[in-house]
Amino acid sequence: MFDLFFKAVCGGYDKNFSYIIGDPKEKTLGLIDASISLENLQSSLDLAYKKGYTNISKIFLTHSHHDHIAYLAEIQAKTQAQVYAHQAAENRIQKIIDLKINYIHHEQILNLGSEQIRAIHTPGHQPDCICFIWRNKIFTGDTLFVEGCGRCNFPESSPEDQFESLHFIANQLDPNLEVYPGHNYGSVGHSTIAREKEVNKYLKTKDKNIWLALRAGNGKLEV
Ligand SMILES: [Fe+2]
């Protein structure tokens, strides 16, 4: 009866992940990022429907880059889901899609049925980057990858903010949180904050100037 649903789906523009999460009590589904087409989400959604879940009721966007909102219009039109993004995305998403967005802020608690999702603002890669914490999982978008982090050489990027955001993740959050990134760029699909603190140079490097030099040197390696 209280069968938790969680599924990672990989594909999209460049090894993107979308994640389907379910509230086992109210049997409603949430989607982290709209990176994967409905067609390619369908087999995972069918698994959820077999467990008694209904349709996607909320879509949570880790940021407004094109690959993360690629199928937003399609999925929202089909599901009528409410859409959540950081308030810094306000002028970005609506230039691309005519859609009602619920804008959220740092440390806002969101509901998915009876489940709670904590939004953490993590600017750097983009000003509107958010990580979402649900149960024992953190969805990190392009803020933190397994063994890497999002590039910071877009015009809107801020390497200094990225350093602070990663510092926050490394030092202020539960190290046992499982890390689910926006792209499948690591040697494994997901990780933990504790593991990343051991193996990820962007979490290991504590000196800001060394970190900035490291990030600048690798600026073109990742999306
Ligand atoms: Fe991005």
Side-chain angles (χ1 to χ4, degrees):
M1 184 179 289
F2 294 103
D3 198 358
L4 193 68
F5 190 81
F6 173 64
K7 191 94 171 85
V9 186
C10 189
Y13 176 74
D14 185 22
K15 301 181 187 176
N16 282 77
F17 279 120
S18 279
Y19 300 98
I20 305 169
I21 64 177
D23 167 27
K25 285 189 183 160
E26 297 189 17
K27 296 290 187 188
T28 189
L29 297 172
L31 182 69
I32 312 283
D33 280 341
S35 313
I36 310 286
S37 68
L38 263 179
E39 183 183 4
N40 290 328
L41 288 174
Q42 197 57 53
S43 61
S44 301
L45 291 172
D46 287 343
L47 286 176
Y49 300 153
K50 278 186 191 154
K51 292 174 183 280
Y53 283 88
T54 56
N55 214 344
I56 295 167
S57 61
K58 295 192 176 179
I59 300 169
F60 305 98
L61 300 173
T62 62
H63 63 302
S64 59
H65 269 160
H66 69 95
D67 49 330
H68 297 257
I69 62 170
Y71 299 97
L72 178 60
E74 172 193 89
I75 296 169
Q76 201 280 332
K78 185 75 189 283
T79 61
Q80 299 300 304
Q82 295 180 55
V83 181
Y84 295 83
H86 189 265
Q87 52 201 13
E90 188 162 2
N91 292 322
R92 288 181 55 89
I93 298 178
Q94 258 132 0
K95 273 185 193 160
I96 306 165
I97 305 168
D98 182 19
L99 202 61
K100 180 183 181 296
I101 310 276
N102 299 284
Y103 291 105
I104 57 179
H105 55 78
H106 183 54
E107 292 290 11
Q108 190 164 338
I109 302 297
L110 306 167
N111 296 312
L112 175 70
S114 61
E115 296 286 306
Q116 290 199 325
I117 296 165
R118 177 183 171 197
I120 305 288
H121 185 212
T122 54
H125 172 72
Q126 281 284 275
D128 58 13
C129 283
I130 302 182
C131 296
F132 295 105
I133 299 174
W134 173 61
R135 292 186 172 236
N136 65 337
K137 297 173 173 48
I138 180 167
F139 301 95
T140 54
D142 290 1
T143 296
L144 175 65
F145 298 138
V146 172
E147 298 143 16
C149 77
R151 59 186 261 205
C152 296
N153 57 356
F154 292 103
E156 307 87 359
S157 298
S158 166
E160 290 82 5
D161 285 353
Q162 179 79 333
F163 174 81
E164 298 298 337
S165 292
L166 293 176
H167 191 74
F168 182 88
I169 291 170
N171 298 297
Q172 301 295 320
L173 299 179
D174 179 355
N176 296 312
L177 282 172
E178 296 173 355
V179 173
Y180 288 87
H183 293 266
N184 191 11
Y185 290 158
S187 63
V188 292
H190 62 91
S191 182
T192 62
I193 290 177
R195 177 184 181 273
E196 291 309 299
K197 285 173 76 170
E198 283 187 16
V199 303
N200 187 330
K201 61 192 174 190
Y202 296 110
L203 284 199
K204 278 164 64 172
T205 305
K206 295 184 175 68
D207 183 282
K208 189 171 184 176
N209 289 328
I210 294 173
W211 189 96
L212 290 171
L214 186 67
R215 180 64 283 186
N218 287 339
K220 292 196 169 80
L221 289 183
E222 295 120 0
V223 180

